[in-house]
Amino acid sequence: MNLQAVDKIIDRYEAKSSALIGILQDIQEKYHYLPQEALSLTKKRLNIPLINILSVATFYNIFTLKPRGRHLINVCLGTACHVKGAGKILEKLERELGIKRSETTHDLRFSLETVRCLGCCSLAPVMRIDSDTYGNLRQDKAIKILKKYE
Amino acid sequence: MNKKIENLEDLERIKEEGLKSIYPDKTKIAVGTATCGLASGAEEILETITREVREKNLSMTVTRTGCLGFCQKEPLVDVLRPGWPRITYCEMTPERAKKMVNELAQGKLKREWILAKMEEEEFLIEGKIRKYLLNGLPEAIDEIPLYGDVPFYKKQMKIAMRNCGFIDPEKIDEYIGRGGYQSLYKILTQYQPDQVIEEIRKSGLRGRGGGGFLTGRKWYFCRQASGDKRYVICNADEGDPGAYMDRSVLEGDPHSILEGMIIGAYAIGAHEGYIYVRAEYPLAVKILKKAIGQAEEYGFLGSNIFGSGFDFSIQINRGGGAFVCGESTALMASIEGKVGEPRAKHIHTVESGLWERPTNLNNVETWANVPAIIARGSDWFSKIGTKESKGTKVFSLVGKISNTGLVEIPMGITLREIVYDIGGGIPGGKKFKAVQTGGPSGGCVPEKLIDLPVDFEELTRVGSMMGSGGMIVMDEDTCMVDVAKYFLSFLQDESCGKCTSCREGIKRMLQILTRITQGKGEEGDIELLEELSQVVADTSLCALGATAPNPVLTTIRYFRDEYEAHIKDKRCPAKVCRDLITYTIDEEKCTGCMRCLKECPQQAIVGERKRPHQILQEKCIKCGMCYEACRFDAVKVE
Amino acid sequence: MVKLTIDGQEVEVEEGLSVLEAASKIGIEIPTLCYHEALTPYGACRVCTVEIIRKGWSRLSAACTYPVQQGIEVKTNSEKVRKARKLILELLLARCPTVKPIQDLAKKMGVKKPRFQVDNEECILCGLCVRVCQELVGVSAIGFINRGTERQVTTPYQIHSDVCIGCGACATVCPTGAIKIEDDQNLRKIPLWHTELKRKRCKVCGNFFAPEVEVDFLKTKDLQLPQDLFEICPDCRRSELGNKLSRLKTTVPRNFLTKI
């Protein structure tokens, strides 16, 4: 694995250990997950214990140690969305994709996550796929939207 | 090229340019492209309008703007045509947008698609009213209601959201055009730091993030604390589900926060500032970055601001998807690169916070109020609101309400006014049940208390709290036991897990609530919940755990009958709890169209075409697809 | 110096001490699980909860992390405290029903059977093992991962640790006995940390003693000890010392023993 990109990211933050979260965020943006080799390099360059890095990587929801699918679906389970039936949307997606939340489809097309909340409460229930936000969902509408993503 | 603004003259010059940009000589179309707008399709509308203007060679400017608050009516498009009042189109689609552009070119408007018109605008910072020069008005203009007459807007008063929807958030000149950075100039040239603190103190401004601490007092203690360096932080973690006030200010008027922070930093003696934005707000981060860059270019950030000798810089830290990082000590741990574990606040963060140095943390909305208070004075601000709660508060009015959106109202307005006058009541003719305020740390306020004036003290008195401003309206179809279960489930996911009380206590409370919603509730469950609530509240290490029992306690307090129905009668009065309801088909209403049959994921519906269908209860998973699919209202929930 | 009252007794202590430490000075023992005097207090278990009355306000707080303040009144065994402590122990017992120290503490507080569905954990997430490995040993082989109810202590990727020196300090400080160290012939096994380490062979008797990595680790610390000491097991060292001492004609200096 070419780790030049990781070195560059760490350089940008001047290899400061307090910048760990920002560094991990940039690594995740590049690789769509946190590869083991990238974390080992981060440990070396920041001179902090590996377990500390993993504590942070597993504490915060946005990070994942496992490769994700091409498209990330985030179903909002905020209060407004919950009250308007977000739970049913999540279940419908789980059934349709054959996976549970925090899992990735076999063909690596979709990863399904939940989030609370996206801040679009007026349009509840809401889901986000990659950087596109969709509101006023219904179960069938949600499935139709999936078709847009290869 | 040096664009630094060094004196009032420079500022005034940019202000004029900003005003020209906001109110150009030709028609301007502003599309609301904050996250809500985008989620409703605003990007496509923006593209359609831009394309139409280009193809038809029209002399019009097309621009973006922030959130006008009436999210229910998104996508919103504002039109500023010289000679006309400001027109706000609502519920736009690309097709409508195209038609609108063409009609505009002919000097016409489409009455049916318009929400309101604005004949004058308030320039809050300068305390001026700017009237639109009217001539050559189109037909039907009189039929359009004035913005101030629209029930949603009538009782609102915008201070924190003064610029949202009126400027392009990516144009600093427009912020300056509406009086921006004048307050900063004022304090850097005329005030000593102590005087700034005194002004904020006199205004009575209280933290808008949930704590409600007197801001001036906090600044004072931070300034007094001993230490070589101090910091100011903007808490933009806005984790309460259902609350998005901060997001709108971040996306619609980022400079109001920057200006507030620079003023605060000067007052406290800090030279470094942090804005901690939650991971779920990528657009806000993007807009903030641009705003900081522009502020640096103009010299509002950096060294020797306005030639005063004061240096200040701001850094953005992104959150990692952890609600607990909205708690100040966890937030600071996160900035330090650690996990978001709170620490007990025996020693306050104003004395020992970020890197154990004096740190002043305030919420987005609090910072946004600062330039307005400096500009108009503490007297002006303290006349708004109630005795203990001065000023306005932005609320996100969501849930089962006709007019969802963001509202900024003076403290003291009653819940009834918010729900019925501003919110337009409950849709579908349903009965109002309760309003949840304060997020997972708050509680619900039931119908019988609807005449409650909304302010910090009153909400706390009835067992809830102001919190960050989320206001979720619930109706007769909401199960309050399910609501309590929802909040506990949220908190269980978000608990950092360090202390026994919160981690184990919430887990057990959730187990009991889950049993109750499954019809397995037992005599004594309510008492056990209350007992757990007391200990979790008293012994948790941080506010997350300490306030976790609130939703449970308030729902028991005001809706005990619902709990008892679940426990004793194994019945869910609101027909929400899966295990306690059944879906059936009303044979008289069923037309045999087979739509539900096709939608059912479990093949649990049987029936032939034109014959009444039946749901096989053993197979039914209560997903509700049939209920959504039926056009004849034949699916019943019992 | 700070003056405060604990259970009706006045006590004066240096600033910076915790209420727990202050109480200990006057012989008042407050039960703890996640506290160890050699490590930074953490405040996780909440067993040491006491009532603090300050400026007329009463609140419960963990004694191990609450700093002594002038004029406060501390109650270590009021009804409010007992009620809270009892429920906390009930919660811990429901989590770890088979752990004897928890059973004993719970029984002392009057907890009979937990009113909750019991789990089968042995770890109470007190963090002592993590802190000793980080603060005293300095290798940080283990730490917390995840959060909330998923929180647990483990090694990176939950596999064999390549920085663990097998010193067993974690097992020594563990209040529940959840960490087990098995010395099995030439291997030291710590199943909880998925780690197996080769043990060093004594040059004198040929028995296996400390893990090789632990000895190597100690060699890097400037302990000012003769090199051959690291090749000999503790039994042989003792008999070596015994031999050396019996040959000495002068008195042994006081600090001689501490150097071994």
Side-chain angles (χ1 to χ4, degrees), chain C residues 128-130 132-133 142 166-182 188-190 192-193:
Chain C
L128 280 167
C129 54
V130 177
V132 77
C133 193
I142 51 175
C167 65
C170 51
T172 307
V173 295
C174 177
T176 62
I179 305 170
K180 313 219 192 325
I181 314 255
E182 295 160 19
R188 169 162 283 187
K189 300 180 185 168
I190 313 175
L192 204 55
W193 310 144

Side-chain angles (χ1 to χ4, degrees), chain A residues 82 116, chain B residues 479-492 506 509-518 529 551-552 555 563 576-579:
Chain A
H82 172 81
R116 298 191 225 233
Chain B
C479 171
M480 299 316 279
V481 185
D482 178 69
V483 166
K485 185 178 102 172
Y486 167 84
F487 278 120
L488 277 186
S489 164
F490 171 82
L491 289 167
Q492 185 181 255
I506 292 179
M509 287 174 75
L510 180 58
Q511 280 177 343
I512 297 170
L513 276 169
T514 306
R515 267 196 300 103
I516 294 176
T517 59
Q518 288 171 338
L529 278 172
V552 178
T555 48
Y563 277 85
V576 169
C577 297
R578 290 278 175 87
D579 295 299

Side-chain angles (χ1 to χ4, degrees), chain A residues 6 17 105 108 117 126 135:
Chain A
V6 180
S17 61
T105 56
L108 292 179
C117 87
V126 175

Side-chain angles (χ1 to χ4, degrees), chain C residues 136-196:
Chain C
L136 283 187
V137 182
V139 299
S140 290
I142 51 175
F144 287 108
I145 59 162
N146 302 332
R147 69 180 191 218
T149 49
E150 304 292 308
R151 185 168 160 100
Q152 57 176 222
V153 181
T154 187
T155 54
Y157 299 105
Q158 292 157 276
I159 56 172
H160 170 94
S161 163
D162 52 9
V163 298
C164 171
I165 59 167
C167 65
C170 51
T172 307
V173 295
C174 177
T176 62
I179 305 170
K180 313 219 192 325
I181 314 255
E182 295 160 19
D183 280 338
D184 181 12
Q185 296 183 340
N186 66 326
L187 291 174
R188 169 162 283 187
K189 300 180 185 168
I190 313 175
L192 204 55
W193 310 144
H194 317 281
T195 296
E196 273 184 13

